[in-house]
Amino acid sequence: MSYEVNGATIEHDEEGYITTLSDWTKDLADVIAKAEEVDMNSEHWEVVNFLRDYYEEYQIAPAVRVLIKAVKKSMGPEKGNNKYMYELFPYGPAKQACKIAGLPKPTGCV
Amino acid sequence: MADNIKKFLYVNRRAPYGTIYALEALEVVLIGAAFDQDVSLAFFDDGVFQLTKGQNTEEIGVKNFSPTFRALGDYDVTKLYVEQESLDERGLTAADLQEITYEDEDDDWAEKPSLKIVSRAELSDIMADQDVVLSF
Amino acid sequence: MSTLHTVNKSPFATNALASCLNHAKDGDTILLIEDGVYGAATGTTLADTVTAKVGALSICVLSGDISARGIDQKRLIKGVTSVDYTGFVKLAASHDRSQAWL
């Protein structure tokens, strides 16, 4: 199972999370987003970049409620709420955005 | 606190990396945090080694999970008890440990330390006060 | 004739290091690896026992295991040397046998 991006083949698991985190590029993010039927705009990117920074700092993909709380703290309540985040990522802001960000499945998502 | 909330203590007595216990315990804590219980962690014996600063696992090719302890506050896990005697026996002081903090929602998001250094006697009391103790 | 001893358990969790120190012959090498490297730090309850053996025994630690655990080189007991994986192989080759203290 793999994504094709710029002639390269990037392996992913059965749920679509890439297996080698260092394989991630912005072009790959666009390919994963397309597979997820997410049309990436600057608001999506803001969340994806936030998640990558969070992972870089804590070595963990946060659970959804942790993500929303952290977004609220960093970008304010108009973005750090369920409605805004689920509109951007209808199949789950943590799961879907982590996948696009090239991170593992969030810890604490059962 | 509601009646159905129980006091859970995760006991960490193993060094990181040599065995899988430390990492597994941390994952269980993160997953368990979803259940809104009164959670605390105890670090004693070799468990205190999990919290040391400056870990770099590049050469041994395993994931450095020590930064994840600093995310526990986001998961509302804010009580990490560290036993003084265990530090002493291992030539460590509080200054050798990472700084781990949380933001107190009830106090205007003031940043407060999550690590609490306690004596062996205090830790005994903490353990005896729990509803559930999970050992790793 | 000399032996390379490897100890991979924390000296605070098992008596592998203590027993190894008690049995190793002068001229042998003890290489501390994995959680064994905690035995090479100063200021611990075991530091005096280990320090007393430095000289008669050559005591080494695996550098990657030291870094992983955040042990600064400055905290190593005087006379303990740090080796990388290549050094590990050289030690194995330069001794007559190796003995793992599990």
Side-chain angles (χ1 to χ4, degrees), chain B residues 4-127:
Chain B
N4 57 347
I5 290 188
K6 290 192 166 158
K7 288 172 79 94
F8 276 73
L9 178 74
Y10 294 87
V11 168
N12 295 277
R13 294 183 47 253
R14 311 274 191 141
Y17 312 120
T19 63
I20 197 70
Y21 290 96
L23 175 58
E24 291 284 312
L26 184 54
E27 299 218 320
V28 172
V29 170
L30 292 169
I31 292 164
F35 297 103
D36 281 332
Q37 302 293 320
D38 179 9
V39 171
S40 25
L41 276 58
F43 295 86
F44 59 106
D45 298 342
D46 278 355
V48 298
F49 286 135
Q50 294 179 31
L51 301 171
T52 56
K53 277 181 192 165
Q55 299 179 24
N56 177 350
T57 57
E58 221 163 290
E59 242 183 290
I60 63 167
V62 302
K63 181 172 164 152
N64 176 4
F65 57 86
S66 65
T68 306
F69 289 110
R70 290 190 275 108
L72 285 172
D74 291 347
Y75 282 75
D76 297 322
V77 174
T78 60
K79 289 177 286 187
L80 279 62
Y81 299 106
V82 183
E83 188 186 84
Q84 181 70 59
E85 286 84 342
S86 295
L87 291 174
D88 294 343
E89 287 160 9
R90 288 159 184 77
L92 299 172
T93 67
D96 293 308
L97 306 181
Q98 300 195 73
E99 202 184 335
I100 301 175
T101 58
Y102 70 101
E103 286 161 327
D104 191 346
E105 215 173 327
D106 302 325
D107 190 6
D108 198 23
W109 304 99
E111 192 159 293
K112 300 185 175 178
S114 299
L115 286 189
K116 291 164 189 70
I117 312 280
V118 296
S119 70
R120 189 158 282 166
E122 287 170 315
L123 190 57
S124 300
D125 291 342
I126 289 163
M127 290 193 280

Side-chain angles (χ1 to χ4, degrees), chain A residues 46-63 65-71 73-74 98 101 103 107, chain B residues 30 63 67-76:
Chain A
E46 192 177 31
V47 176
V48 165
N49 290 330
F50 180 86
L51 273 171
R52 289 190 61 83
D53 289 345
Y54 195 94
Y55 190 86
E56 178 64 27
E57 181 159 4
Y58 300 118
Q59 298 295 304
I60 189 186
R65 69 182 198 297
V66 174
L67 170 66
I68 290 175
K69 198 167 77 176
V71 167
K73 205 170 76 193
S74 146
C98 282
L103 306 183
T107 306
Chain B
L30 292 169
K63 181 172 164 152
T68 306
F69 289 110
R70 290 190 275 108
L72 285 172
D74 291 347
Y75 282 75
D76 297 322

